[in-house]
Amino acid sequence: MRETYDEYEAAGRLRVPVAAWRWATASGLVPAADAGRGQWSRAVVEAADPEAVRAGLRGPAGASWAADRLTEALGEPLRFRPRVTPAAVGHLVRAGLLTYLGGETAYPDVHPDQVAALARRRDLPALLDRHVPLGPDQAAHRLGVRRTDFDQVVRLGWVTPIGTVDIDYKRQGGVTTIPLYSAENIALLPVIRPTVDWHALRALTAGRRSPLTALTPDPQGEDRLLLAGIARIARVGRAAVVNWRRRHPDFPAPTAGTAVHPEFDRRAVVAWLLDHDKIAVPTGVLAATFTVGSSLGAGAAQQFRMDDPLLELTDDGEDEDRLSGWMTEDDADTLVELTAAEAGASICKLTTPGTAPLAVPDGLHVIDRFRAGSGGLRVTLAWPAHLRGTASPRTAGGVIRHALPYTTPSTACPCARQTCGGIIPTPYCTEHGTVIEPAMEWHPADGIRCIARHYARTAVSSRA
C-alpha cells in the first residue's frame, strides 16, 4: 500500500479536486507536508475529512477577478499607481501572499477569501511595490510621467531592468520581450533625484519635449553624491550627514573625491538610508484636502482633494497664492462652478503636506485646468495673498483673525498673543472682552499682513 502521497495523489485518494487539497493545506485544514517536499504521509491523508476539504474551497477565483478586487482596494481614482493585472496576481502567488489553486502559473486561480483578506491589508500598496515588477508603461504610470519621459529615465541609467517577460502579440508580429522594473525603485526616484522638477515633468502636455533629454548619463556609469547631495535626499542638514559618518561604521565609504569633498556611490547611499530609516519608499500619493464654501456663508461647503499638490505662497501682499494638483473631472467641474458664483468662494480649511492648515475668506478662483500628457487633469487655484490666514481648529474651519489693541496688553491679560503684536481676544478678559472694543484693526493670523507687522515691529525695536 502507498505510504506517501503528492498533492494529486492525495486529492485522488480523498476524491476531491486538487485545488481543494491545495487550499486545505494552505489554510491549515490539513497538516503541512510531513513526508518530504510536497509529500504527505498516509496517516495524514487518511485522517483528512473529504467533505471538509471539499467545502473549504468554495470555488477558486480567476486571476482577472482577483486583480479587479485588489485594484478596487487601492481606491479611486488611481493616481501614480497602475491597475493590478492578472500577471501581478501570479507574482503575488510566487511571493507566498496567495495560494496557487490551479490554472496557468502566470495567471493562477486563487481563493476568494484569501484575496479579500489581502485587499483589507493596509500595507497592500507596499506589498505590490515590493513583489510586483512593472513594464515600461506601468512604470511611467507609477511615476506619473509620460512614457517618453520614462524612456529618458532609462536612458540616463537611473533605473535598470530586474527581469523580462515575453508577450505574444499575435496580431502585431509575434513574441516581444518586455523589460520589467522594480516598482520600489520607480517610486523612490522623486526621493533620490530631488534636483529634478517632478511637478513640472508630470505636468508636461503631449508633444512637449522632455527636459530630461538635456541631461547626459555618466560615461563611466558612475553616479556619485557629495555630502550636500546626501543631505538633500534625506532632507537634513549637511552636518547631520557628517555625524552619521562618524557614528555609523557601516556608512558607505567614499568612492572618489577628496578628504574635504568626498564622493559616494548613490546606490550604496540610498541602500544605507533605507536600511537606517532615514528615507522611505513612497507607497501612496501625497494629497491636499480643502473645503470650499460661499464667501457669504450661504449653502453647504464642499470638500475636495488634490493629488500631488504644489502650494506656492508669495511674500508679496499684492500678489496671489497658488495651489495646483490633480483632480477628477467631476470635482474640477464642481469647483469651477463654486468659484464662478457671484457671491465669491472661500477656502474654509486647506490641509496640505508640510504646511499648517490655512484658510482664505474670499477671492478663490480657478486660473487653469488642463490635461497633461500622462493623462491626468491638473487644476490650479489662486487667491489674494493678503487674505490668506491660519485656519481655525474647528471642523468648519475659517480664518483665525488677530486684533490689534489700542494699548499694550497688561501682564494679567489672558488673551492669546501673537508675534506680530496682535491678540485673539478672550471673552472673559477684563481688558479685551466682548464688552470692550479691543482693536484698531483685524487681520488674518500668520497672513501676509501679520508677517509684515512682525517685521515692522522688529525694525522699530532694533532702531530703539
Side-chain angles (χ1 to χ4, degrees):
M1 181 177 288
R2 183 181 298 278
E3 294 298 326
T4 62
Y5 297 79
D6 63 19
E7 59 181 14
Y8 293 97
E9 294 163 342
R13 176 73 175 82
L14 297 179
R15 296 184 179 180
V16 299
V18 175
W21 178 262
R22 289 170 178 160
W23 178 245
T25 59
S27 62
L29 186 60
V30 298
D34 64 335
R37 184 177 178 84
Q39 297 287 320
W40 286 263
S41 65
R42 178 159 59 100
V44 168
V45 174
E46 291 181 348
D49 181 352
E51 292 304 319
V53 171
R54 189 179 291 107
L57 181 60
R58 291 184 52 245
S64 295
W65 179 91
D68 289 343
R69 300 293 82 75
L70 295 176
T71 297
E72 290 174 3
L74 292 175
E76 291 290 344
L78 286 176
R79 188 76 65 197
F80 304 156
R81 186 170 288 283
R83 294 182 61 85
V84 181
T85 63
V89 175
H91 288 288
L92 294 175
V93 167
R94 287 188 284 278
L97 295 170
L98 293 172
T99 301
Y100 172 76
L101 298 181
E104 295 184 52
T105 55
Y107 313 103
D109 293 336
V110 291
H111 198 285
D113 289 350
Q114 197 174 30
V115 173
L118 182 60
R120 289 193 297 269
R121 290 186 58 164
R122 302 181 73 175
D123 61 343
L124 175 61
L127 292 174
L128 292 171
D129 281 346
R130 192 173 306 134
H131 299 294
V132 179
L134 304 176
D137 289 332
Q138 294 172 312
H141 192 128
R142 182 70 179 89
L143 195 54
V145 300
R146 304 171 303 176
R147 170 63 190 273
T148 183
D149 299 310
F150 179 72
D151 290 342
Q152 294 300 324
V153 167
V154 174
R155 177 186 66 84
L156 291 168
W158 293 355
V159 293
T160 54
I162 60 171
T164 60
V165 62
D166 290 335
I167 299 180
D168 189 359
Y169 294 106
K170 292 182 170 45
R171 297 182 180 179
Q172 300 179 15
V175 176
T176 300
T177 300
I178 304 295
L180 297 176
Y181 300 88
S182 162
E184 284 191 335
N185 290 345
I186 300 300
L188 265 174
L189 277 174
V191 177
I192 66 175
R193 301 282 175 177
T195 57
V196 176
D197 188 343
W198 293 99
H199 284 288
L201 193 63
R202 288 165 174 163
L204 288 175
T205 53
R208 288 279 304 278
R209 184 183 181 188
S210 173
L212 299 180
T213 58
L215 305 179
T216 57
D218 190 299
Q220 304 299 323
E222 298 172 343
D223 193 358
R224 298 170 181 159
L225 285 168
L226 294 170
L227 291 173
I230 300 174
R232 188 168 183 179
I233 290 175
R235 296 188 177 185
V236 298
R238 184 179 181 276
V241 181
V242 173
N243 191 39
W244 293 342
R245 288 190 68 198
R246 184 165 52 247
R247 291 178 52 196
H248 297 278
D250 63 336
F251 193 90
T255 57
T258 65
V260 178
H261 299 291
E263 297 178 356
F264 303 84
D265 177 72
R266 186 187 297 265
R267 287 192 177 90
V269 167
V270 169
W272 188 91
L273 293 173
L274 287 170
D275 289 343
H276 290 75
D277 296 324
K278 306 300 183 184
I279 60 173
V281 178
T283 56
V285 58
L286 297 177
T289 57
F290 56 98
T291 306
V292 176
S294 168
S295 299
L296 300 180
Q302 298 191 47
Q303 191 170 48
F304 298 91
R305 164 179 167 154
M306 265 190 180
D307 290 333
D308 192 33
L310 177 61
L311 179 62
E312 300 172 285
L313 302 178
T314 179
D315 292 330
D316 184 356
E318 301 299 319
D319 202 351
E320 289 188 324
D321 296 330
R322 295 189 176 189
L323 172 68
S324 59
W326 306 97
M327 300 185 72
T328 64
E329 194 83 43
D330 290 344
D331 278 357
D333 290 342
T334 302
L335 191 56
V336 169
E337 291 179 7
L338 287 174
T339 55
E342 292 184 5
S346 65
I347 294 181
C348 306
K349 196 169 203 175
L350 166 64
T351 304
T352 188
T355 305
L358 59 84
V360 183
D362 197 5
L364 177 66
H365 55 286
V366 176
I367 63 173
D368 191 24
R369 55 181 289 182
F370 72 95
R371 186 74 61 180
S374 56
L377 179 65
R378 192 166 183 85
V379 178
T380 302
L381 306 177
W383 56 82
H386 70 275
L387 294 179
R388 177 223 318 158
T390 299
S392 166
R394 294 181 291 111
T395 303
V399 176
I400 296 177
R401 293 182 179 274
H402 294 173
L404 296 181
Y406 286 112
T407 60
T408 303
S410 69
T411 56
C413 171
C415 301
R417 306 188 188 194
Q418 310 302 312
T419 56
C420 69
I423 60 172
I424 300 178
T426 300
Y428 55 81
C429 177
T430 57
E431 295 180 58
H432 311 107
T434 55
V435 177
I436 304 172
E437 174 57 49
M440 297 171 59
E441 182 182 11
W442 291 85
H443 64 282
D446 295 325
I448 290 289
R449 197 179 308 177
C450 179
I451 295 171
R453 288 191 177 281
H454 171 66
Y455 288 148
R457 287 176 61 85
T458 304
V460 171
S461 299
S462 63
R463 288 198 297 271

